[in-house]
Amino acid sequence: MAINENALKESDYYSLHRVLTRNAVWNFIIGARGLGKTFDAKRHVVRDFLKNGWQFIYLRRTAEELRQGAKETWFADIAEFFPEF
């Protein structure tokens, strides 16, 4: 079986840790699609809510964006990290 040289390694995916250590009021993160920016942000805010009760918002700019990301499936990609929920 051939190894895909273009496959992403675990270390290639985005991590919020470094940005959050800056203690900024606002953080704007820009990067290529599919590298885990939204995934890691969702995982972080859910973890903070469960640990500290901190609430968060998930903001969409347009009705079309809202339709594309159905609220019924918002948790699906991070569910494996929170099996008790």
Side-chain angles (χ1 to χ4, degrees), residues 9 16 27 30 34 37 45 53 76:
K9 300 180 297 275
L16 284 177
N27 295 299
I30 300 169
K37 297 176 303 293
V45 297

Side-chain angles (χ1 to χ4, degrees), residues 19-61:
V19 169
L20 295 175
T21 62
R22 307 283 184 177
N23 281 334
V25 175
W26 296 94
N27 295 299
F28 293 88
I29 301 167
I30 300 169
R33 290 178 58 128
L35 295 180
K37 297 176 303 293
T38 302
F39 177 88
D40 204 40
K42 285 171 33 174
R43 189 171 61 166
H44 176 78
V45 297
V46 169
R47 190 174 33 231
D48 274 355
F49 174 76
L50 295 174
K51 182 178 177 184
N52 304 311
W54 296 345
Q55 295 183 12
F56 62 93
I57 64 168
Y58 188 71
L59 182 65
R60 295 299 208 160
R61 296 178 297 170

